[in-house]
Amino acid sequence: MTEKSLRIGQIIYTNTLPVYFYFDQKRFQDRIDFIQQVPAQLNAAMARGEIDVGPISSFSYAEHASQYLVLPNLSVSAKGKVGSIFLFSKRPIEELAGARIALTNTSATSVNLLKIILQKFFGLHVSYKTQSPVLEEMMKEADAALLIGDDALLAIRNSLPYQVYDLGELWHRFTGYSMTFALWAVRKQAIEHHRELLLDVHAAFLSSKEKTRRHLDLMIEDVLVHFGGNREDWYSYFNGLTHDFTDEQRVGLEYYYQCAAELGLLSSPVKVSLWDAASQQANTTLTS
């Protein structure tokens, strides 16, 4: 990586794959550098300024909203079942009062979404312990465990003696809203140094997303090779996700931030600020 490279984060989960699968890396040669990590690692790297742009947990965006802007029309969202964020429980969720809950150490958005669901919607008070995402280990001392991403997808394939709850489905049941789990954020400082390159990268992300929609079968063939599983299950999974970020996703996410603030998980509610490159260009022209 050179000093002039744009450092781009990449979540090593299949739920972001449509934005990257058809990304034309050859176009950018030595101008960009991909850094692959799980969400919690990317969140921390972005906060430290070690990554310029990439998908981060929606909750992490809220924590650093003064430093970031959101790339338009990119997210990992679902209206209803998300298919890869599960609470595995030894008893019905309504009976988890006083329970010990094991939380994956790879997430921020889903961890706080679970806290909102249990406390605000079910009126439950529980205790939490953060652990590595290995379900068998998590459930040795816990009554329920939260897993996300490919860890959750792997666990759900096995015939396990647990009740399983999809957090996206629970959120929609109680609120009627879509839930956005990740946003493509960019550090404001990176915009100053890489504006034109960011425009090209953003366009390439959008192009990959749209091409995936037209050729989903090709991506799923690749997923089957690398991750196994069932073709029909993968089609159902990807068709249940949206990688757009429209007003529908924004409204749902900002309600999530409001709930988080009510429970003291955030210091205050947060409004999402999108990077408006065209407006920025106009302002630059007018002031130059």
Side-chain angles (χ1 to χ4, degrees), residues 149-162:
D150 296 343
D151 299 314
L153 289 171
L154 180 62
I156 202 70
R157 291 178 192 170
N158 302 320
S159 299
L160 297 168
Y162 304 123

Side-chain angles (χ1 to χ4, degrees), residues 23-257:
F23 187 93
D24 187 3
Q25 294 193 39
K26 291 182 180 179
R27 273 186 54 207
F28 299 96
Q29 297 181 354
D30 297 331
R31 295 186 294 161
I32 65 173
D33 183 66
F34 276 118
I35 300 169
Q36 294 186 332
Q37 295 175 330
V38 298
Q41 293 171 326
L42 284 180
N43 296 342
M46 277 279 287
R48 292 192 300 263
E50 296 169 2
I51 292 175
D52 301 307
V53 60
I56 60 170
S57 298
S58 299
F59 190 83
S60 185
Y61 166 77
E63 292 180 304
H64 303 280
S66 64
Q67 302 170 46
Y68 303 158
L69 292 175
V70 171
L71 293 184
N73 211 21
L74 289 172
S75 76
V76 178
S77 301
K79 190 173 185 178
K81 292 182 179 180
V82 64
S84 59
I85 300 175
F86 297 120
L87 179 70
F88 297 85
S89 180
K90 294 177 180 176
R91 55 183 188 262
I93 193 169
E94 297 88 352
E95 300 175 12
L96 286 177
R100 295 165 296 178
I101 311 292
L103 302 173
T104 176
N105 62 2
T106 61
S107 169
T109 302
S110 301
V111 162
N112 288 289
L113 177 61
L114 177 62
K115 292 177 179 179
I116 291 168
I117 289 171
L118 292 181
Q119 185 172 340
K120 182 177 176 66
F121 300 146
F122 283 99
L124 300 173
H125 293 278
V126 301
S127 61
Y128 297 102
K129 181 181 180 181
T130 301
Q131 295 181 234
S132 298
V134 180
L135 185 59
E136 291 78 6
E137 294 298 318
M138 299 169 87
M139 294 298 269
K140 284 182 177 179
E141 298 183 358
D143 301 295
L146 174 68
L147 288 176
I148 72 165
D150 296 343
D151 299 314
L153 289 171
L154 180 62
I156 202 70
R157 291 178 192 170
N158 302 320
S159 299
L160 297 168
Y162 304 123
Q163 301 195 42
V164 182
Y165 298 91
D166 185 303
L167 264 60
E169 184 177 26
L170 289 173
W171 171 258
H172 184 256
R173 183 203 304 177
F174 283 101
T175 69
Y177 288 133
S178 169
M179 180 61 205
T180 295
F181 298 92
L183 295 165
W184 268 255
V186 56
R187 292 180 62 84
K188 292 179 180 179
Q189 192 173 28
I191 295 174
E192 299 174 10
H193 295 100
H194 300 285
R195 184 186 176 281
E196 295 302 322
L197 179 54
L198 274 168
L199 287 171
D200 288 344
V201 166
H202 182 223
F205 279 147
L206 294 177
S207 176
S208 176
K209 181 183 72 169
E210 295 306 320
K211 191 171 182 180
T212 299
R213 283 177 175 162
R214 298 193 302 270
H215 305 288
L216 182 59
D217 53 331
L218 297 178
M219 189 187 76
I220 287 179
E221 290 299 326
D222 185 79
V223 169
L224 287 169
V225 170
H226 290 92
F227 297 95
N230 179 279
R231 178 177 281 99
E232 288 70 29
D233 289 343
W234 283 116
Y235 272 105
S236 176
Y237 174 55
F238 283 111
N239 284 325
L241 296 175
T242 179
H243 293 85
D244 301 329
F245 191 70
T246 65
D247 283 345
E248 180 179 29
Q249 285 80 44
R250 179 187 56 76
V251 169
L253 181 57
E254 290 180 352
Y255 182 64
Y256 164 80
Y257 291 151

